[in-house]
């Protein structure tokens, strides 16, 4: 590794020695992190020794090289910048060449050596973070190029699909017709009454190639596609109005015929109006019309995959009454314009108050659950929580009426609410003397990523009691009592005593 670091440093200095070429870096970052805990454990089964440890070493490097100004051409100056990076010991986890940018008075060109994570149009060229982790779930292709033509502010994107892309309308290998790639253009516009985009994309994919014969040169493509669309959001006098439209064609069986088509048209209105300032009352009228056919195209937002033609409208309201809490009202009536026209209804009331006291916060939602019926049935969820802490103690609690994953509780199930719908937790900590803590918990639920995974009966919780003495940041002595391995049985106690040393770095 030292030899490679030296080579990179020499390369950077050599590049910088040429007139007009500048190098930033190389920059090096090294880190060692980890921790270890070890000690003595005494539980029902007897004595035992335990150890828990791990360490991670990383070394990262990065650098950029630029050539610019009159050294390129005195009459036509430009700048080209290339970025490089890598890491050790997992040096192949990050490609050495990351990206490059070329810029002059007429255009900006970019090359990125990684999958495309942007969005041109949500109907036919989109990327989304569906699980909310801050990362795009399924980026497109393996590398891409962008261009912006400054005089007309036109953007061009070219994505290469030399991998097997999974977001095509068939399970076959997504490879090439036009080198298995995607090309798109986008033109943004803005006027006094609003702004938006006009865009189009062309793609070719799904030849007879398979994962096994990926290097085959066959050209018998099964899919070629084209789509164009626009979106617009109003401003000033048109504030609250919005519109989106898209149209596309795609070949389903042969590249000589476009025998699949898709349409989308969406127009609507949604705007908040302040009707009273004190107390603050806001009214939000909303209306939406959408026509959409089945979408056979790749690279789309999955929310736009099915046919849908409907008109929806309603008026929402919110009143912020300060210490009395925030009341909300929402409603939507939808008319399905499909083969079996029908009305559906959604409405409900919300309430929240976090102004009363730190020990008492409350929220509730009351909503109609079956959209096919205008008046019934209804569901309810409600939560009360709070807590406080001082030098000698800390206390918190929460009690919630909710179904699994936080779903509404049908009013028809209220008689059995304590059996499966009331989740609660009580937590208390006491610090009787310095460096000693006593922690107790009582709870009757388990959680998953979406809310409650299970809720036990009101009288079948788990309890735990822990006492810990930490004379310093390394040594811990203590014990544990609990029924977490035996839900609902207060006498089936699991216990252990421990003495351990631990530190992290």
């Amino acid at each position: 590794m030292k030899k490679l670091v030296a080579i990179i440093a020499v390369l950077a200095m050599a590049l910088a020695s040429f007139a007009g070429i500048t190098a930033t870096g190389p920059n090096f970052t090294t880190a060692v992190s980890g921790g270890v805990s070890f000690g003595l454990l005494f539980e029902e089964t007897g004595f035992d020794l335990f150890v828990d440890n791990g360490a991670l070493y990383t070394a990262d490097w990065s650098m950029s090289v630029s050539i610019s100004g009159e050294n390129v051409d005195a009459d036509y100056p430009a700048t080209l910048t290339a970025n490089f990076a890598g890491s050790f010991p997992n040096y192949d986890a990050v490609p050495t060449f990351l990206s490059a940018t070329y810029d002059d008075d007429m255009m900006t060109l970019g090359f990125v050596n990684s999958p495309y994570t942007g969005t041109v149009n949500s109907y036919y060229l989109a990327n989304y973070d569906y699980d909310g982790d801050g990362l795009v779930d399924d980026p497109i292709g393996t590398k891409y190029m962008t261009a912006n033509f400054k005089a007309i502010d036109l953007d061009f994107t070219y994505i290469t699909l030399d991998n097997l892309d999974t977001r095509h309308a068939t399970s076959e290998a997504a490879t090439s017709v036009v080198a298995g790639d995607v090309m798109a253009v986008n033109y943004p516009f803005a006027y006094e009454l609003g702004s938006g985009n006009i865009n189009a994309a062309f793609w070719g994919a799904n030849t007879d190639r398979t994962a096994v014969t990926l290097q085959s040169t066959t050209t018998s493509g099964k899919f070629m596609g084209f789509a164009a669309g626009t979106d617009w959001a109003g401003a000033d006098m048109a504030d609250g109005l919005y519109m989106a439209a898209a149209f596309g064609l795609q070949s389903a069986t042969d590249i000589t015929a476009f025998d699949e088509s898709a349409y989308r048209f969406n127009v609507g209105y949604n705007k908040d109006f302040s009707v009273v300032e004190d107390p603050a009352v806001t009214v939000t009228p909303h209306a939406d019309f959408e026509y959409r056919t089945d979408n056979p195209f790749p690279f789309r937002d999955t929310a736009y995959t099915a046919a849908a033609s409907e008109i929806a409208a309603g008026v929402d309201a919110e009143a912020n009454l300060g210490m009395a809490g925030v009341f909300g009202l929402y409603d939507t009536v939808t008319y399905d314009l499909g083969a079996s026209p029908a009305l559906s209804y959604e409405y409900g009331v919300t309430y929240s108050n976090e102004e009363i006291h730190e020990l008492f916060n409350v929220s509730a939602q009351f909503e109609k659950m079956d959209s096919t019926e205008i008046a019934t049935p209804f569901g309810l969820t409600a939560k009360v929580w709070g807590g406080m802490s001082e030098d000698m103690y800390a206390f918190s609690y929460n009690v919630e009426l909710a179904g699994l994953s936080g779903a509404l509780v049908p009013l028809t199930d209220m008689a059995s609410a304590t059996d499966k719908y009331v989740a609660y937790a009580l937590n208390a900590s006491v610090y009787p003397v310095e460096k000693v803590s006593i922690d107790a918990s009582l709870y009757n639920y388990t959680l998953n990523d979406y809310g409650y995974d299970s809720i036990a009966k009101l009288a079948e919780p788990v309890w735990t009691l822990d006492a810990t003495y930490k004379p310093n940041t390394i040594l811990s002595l203590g014990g544990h009592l609990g029924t977490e391995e035996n839900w609902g049985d207060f006498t089936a106690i699991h216990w252990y005593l421990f003495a351990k040393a631990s530190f992290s770095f």
Side-chain angles (χ1 to χ4, degrees):
M1 188 185 80
K2 291 181 179 179
K3 290 182 179 180
L4 183 55
V5 169
I7 291 171
I8 295 169
V10 171
L11 175 63
M13 290 185 289
L15 289 170
S17 66
F18 289 95
I21 300 178
T22 60
T24 302
N27 301 308
F28 300 98
T29 302
T30 61
V32 180
S33 61
V36 61
S37 296
F38 58 92
L40 175 66
L41 186 70
F42 177 48
E43 54 183 354
E44 297 99 320
T45 57
F47 285 98
D48 197 5
L49 297 175
F50 71 91
V51 61
D52 182 15
N53 69 94
L56 176 66
Y57 168 72
T58 60
D60 300 301
W61 65 269
S62 64
M63 62 177 290
S64 64
V65 180
S66 297
I67 180 170
S68 62
E70 296 181 356
N71 297 283
V72 178
D73 190 320
D75 298 322
Y76 196 81
T79 300
L80 176 64
T81 302
N83 301 298
F84 304 86
S87 63
F88 306 95
N90 300 317
Y91 55 86
D92 58 350
V94 178
T96 301
F97 171 64
L98 297 183
S99 63
T101 303
Y102 169 85
D103 185 77
D104 62 29
D105 291 339
M106 297 181 63
M107 68 183 70
T108 299
L109 303 176
F111 188 99
V112 181
N113 191 25
S114 61
Y116 178 71
T117 59
T119 290
V120 173
N121 187 292
S122 61
Y123 197 45
Y124 51 77
L125 189 52
N127 275 298
Y128 282 83
D129 174 18
Y130 292 109
D131 56 11
D133 65 354
L135 301 173
V136 169
D137 294 317
D138 194 8
I140 301 170
T142 57
K143 56 184 70 71
Y144 64 96
M145 176 180 167
T146 61
N148 175 259
F149 301 95
K150 297 179 179 180
I152 57 176
D153 196 20
L154 179 70
D155 295 312
F156 171 80
T157 303
Y158 171 62
I159 309 167
T160 182
L161 300 181
D162 52 9
N163 65 332
L164 301 182
D165 195 288
T166 60
R167 282 198 288 166
H168 288 68
T170 172
S171 60
E172 294 183 34
T175 51
S176 70
V177 170
V178 185
D181 298 340
V182 180
M183 289 170 280
V185 292
N186 183 70
Y187 176 69
F189 61 87
Y191 301 100
E192 183 178 348
L193 292 180
S195 60
N197 296 272
I198 299 174
N199 41 63
F202 173 78
W203 59 89
N206 281 44
T207 70
D208 288 341
R209 292 196 262 184
T210 66
V212 176
T213 60
L214 185 58
Q215 301 305 317
S216 171
T217 58
T218 179
T219 57
S220 55
K222 293 184 177 180
F223 274 76
M224 291 181 69
F226 166 80
T230 183
D231 60 83
W232 172 81
D236 293 334
M237 294 179 60
D239 186 28
L241 288 171
Y242 57 88
M243 185 274 292
F247 166 74
L249 295 170
Q250 181 165 273
S251 57
T253 57
D254 192 278
I255 63 174
T256 62
F258 288 108
D259 46 9
E260 290 184 336
S261 62
Y263 307 86
R264 179 194 175 203
F265 179 74
N266 181 217
V267 60
Y269 179 78
N270 189 313
K271 186 177 180 180
D272 296 337
F273 292 91
S274 177
V275 295
V276 179
E277 293 187 0
D278 191 15
V281 178
T282 303
V283 174
T284 306
H286 53 90
D288 186 87
F289 167 70
E290 183 162 23
Y291 172 75
R292 185 168 73 235
T293 62
D294 284 328
N295 182 7
F297 297 147
F299 322 123
R300 75 274 187 178
D301 175 5
T302 56
Y304 300 135
T305 58
S309 300
E310 62 185 28
I311 300 173
V315 179
D316 302 341
E318 183 180 278
N320 189 335
L321 306 181
M323 290 290 293
V326 179
F327 293 85
L329 170 68
Y330 58 93
D331 61 274
T332 301
V333 179
T334 302
Y335 182 61
D336 186 346
L337 299 174
S340 301
L343 284 171
S344 60
Y345 314 88
E346 176 188 334
Y347 57 88
V349 178
T350 61
Y351 173 76
S352 64
N353 195 332
E354 300 182 29
E355 300 287 338
I356 301 174
H357 192 275
E358 61 180 342
L359 275 174
F360 185 77
N361 304 279
V362 60
S363 65
Q365 180 181 9
F366 181 72
E367 180 181 305
K368 198 182 80 62
M369 298 183 66
D370 185 350
S371 62
T372 62
E373 300 291 336
I374 191 171
T376 57
F378 287 94
L380 174 69
T381 183
K383 183 177 181 178
V384 179
W385 73 99
M388 63 187 308
S389 61
E390 299 291 345
D391 292 339
M392 299 292 293
Y393 68 89
F395 169 78
S396 67
Y397 76 96
N398 64 273
V399 181
E400 183 167 11
L401 175 70
L404 297 184
S405 298
L408 291 164
V409 178
L411 295 185
T412 53
D413 285 359
M414 286 298 141
S416 60
T418 57
D419 290 340
K420 54 183 177 180
Y421 293 122
V422 177
Y424 64 92
L426 307 173
N427 302 288
S429 297
V430 179
Y431 316 108
V433 295
E434 186 178 3
K435 300 180 179 180
V436 174
S437 64
I438 300 174
D439 305 291
S441 295
L442 180 73
Y443 56 93
N444 74 327
Y445 60 81
T446 60
L447 298 172
N448 58 25
D449 292 339
Y450 307 100
Y452 295 113
D453 180 61
S454 66
I455 300 177
K457 291 183 179 181
L458 205 63
E460 296 182 357
V462 158
W463 64 266
T464 62
L465 180 64
D466 294 270
T468 305
Y469 170 58
K470 288 183 67 69
N472 52 50
T473 58
I474 298 175
L475 183 63
S476 297
L477 307 172
H480 169 84
L481 299 174
T483 61
E484 64 270 26
E485 297 182 359
N486 301 281
W487 281 80
D489 188 348
F490 274 47
T491 62
I493 300 173
H494 166 64
W495 64 269
Y496 58 83
L497 303 173
F498 66 89
K500 68 177 182 179
S502 62
F503 63 94
S504 58
F505 53 89

